[in-house]
Amino acid sequence: MLEKAFKTRAFTVICLALLLTCSWAIPQQALANSEEQPKQGIPKRRIGGGTRGQCFSSVGRLMALVPENNLGFTKKAYPNILFYLPPTSSSAMVEFVLQDENRQSVYETTFTKSSAGGIINFSLPESSSLPPLDINKKYNWYVSLICDPENRANDIVVNGWIQRVELDSNLNKQLEQTTSPLGLVALYAKAGLWQDALATLAELRATQPNDSRLAVNWTQLLKTEKLDAIAQEPFLEIQIPNSP
């Protein structure tokens, strides 16, 4: 049953100048609850279609930074979600939507991007309008590049899934005792927590863009899921409207 439900893949990733064997397969805590998960396949589109109109770009495509199976795991109640916005001919509106397993919207916001392309490390806000993610529940998130506000059928859209899992006491203790951000990346990666490993390493890359060791680790981590085409792209700062 579990073999049919989840695809286990092992790979090697350089992280903290150490050789770690990591798997973005579902963590053991989530495996125990797999019978409760929806049986339907996960709709996925992590790379958007060709740009057009106001969103025209000769290079790059909208991209959700998620594993190939489109599902990333996190230990956090309010995790970070990453995606790549391609350069556009002018500024454009971007919409972010988070839905629960029943396709009910639990959070949505819009913001304006400049014509520049780059990576967004988006943090779900801790606010009264957004409850913490439920443990062992999948959430579907969408990013839409709005090319024509008068005709949303022309949007370029990508999506990813995220699932919060409960960690065992030993791993939680290791995480609490780790003071180095790079040490956290290694532990997250080893535990299969793609979302947290990626977000933590992205924060380090954004603040230390000239650190060659971080650059190598970042590229290798993205390469494990065939996302390294955007490894050299800059990080973009965005202004998100305040949540109530």
Side-chain angles (χ1 to χ4, degrees):
M1 175 67 72
L2 293 181
E3 290 181 359
K4 293 181 180 179
F6 306 107
K7 180 181 179 183
T8 302
R9 296 184 298 111
F11 53 80
T12 301
V13 56
I14 297 176
C15 194
L16 318 180
L18 298 175
L19 199 62
L20 298 176
T21 300
C22 309
S23 174
W24 304 124
I26 192 165
Q28 291 301 312
Q29 290 81 3
L31 281 174
N33 295 282
S34 62
E35 297 297 332
E36 302 174 7
Q37 300 303 328
K39 297 297 188 290
Q40 71 270 21
I42 295 179
K44 53 185 179 181
R45 180 189 295 173
R46 68 174 191 166
I47 299 178
T51 55
R52 60 181 75 89
Q54 181 180 339
C55 301
F56 175 77
S57 172
S58 59
V59 293
R61 288 187 175 185
L62 181 64
M63 186 181 299
L65 301 189
V66 291
E68 285 190 276
N69 66 3
N70 217 236
L71 176 61
F73 294 96
T74 180
K75 68 176 286 291
K76 299 183 179 181
Y78 293 93
N80 284 38
I81 291 172
L82 287 87
F83 46 92
Y84 168 72
L85 298 175
T88 48
S89 56
S90 62
S91 61
M93 293 295 295
V94 179
E95 180 181 59
F96 176 90
V97 176
L98 180 70
Q99 296 180 342
D100 62 20
E101 291 178 330
N102 298 315
R103 298 186 177 181
Q104 297 299 308
S105 177
V106 295
Y107 175 77
E108 55 185 80
T109 190
T110 58
F111 61 89
T112 301
K113 74 172 291 291
S114 68
S115 59
I119 298 166
I120 302 295
N121 189 355
F122 179 77
S123 179
L124 290 178
E126 297 186 35
S127 69
S128 58
S129 61
L130 176 61
L133 300 190
D134 289 330
I135 292 175
N136 293 326
K137 298 294 184 182
K138 293 187 181 75
Y139 292 81
N140 195 5
W141 56 270
Y142 294 86
V143 173
S144 301
L145 190 54
I146 303 174
C147 303
D148 181 359
E150 301 300 321
N151 184 4
R152 295 295 302 275
N154 287 330
D155 286 6
I156 299 171
V157 183
V158 294
N159 82 300
W161 289 78
I162 188 168
Q163 181 175 343
R164 182 186 175 194
V165 295
E166 188 172 16
L167 305 183
D168 62 47
S169 57
N170 288 335
L171 181 54
N172 268 323
K173 186 175 181 180
Q174 290 181 64
L175 291 170
E176 291 172 359
Q177 294 176 344
T178 301
T179 58
S180 163
L182 284 176
L184 287 176
V185 173
L187 286 174
Y188 287 147
K190 196 171 184 179
L193 299 173
W194 162 267
Q195 211 69 42
D196 301 332
L198 185 72
T200 304
L201 191 52
E203 290 172 3
L204 293 173
R205 278 286 289 147
T207 56
Q208 304 174 60
N210 297 320
D211 188 312
S212 59
R213 181 177 58 162
L214 290 177
V216 169
N217 289 328
W218 175 247
T219 299
Q220 289 294 331
L221 184 59
L222 291 174
K223 192 173 184 178
T224 61
E225 294 299 330
K226 300 179 181 178
L227 295 168
D228 50 307
I230 54 88
Q232 304 305 316
E233 295 293 333
F235 289 86
L236 299 181
E237 294 290 337
I238 55 174
Q239 294 294 325
I240 302 295
N242 291 330
S243 300

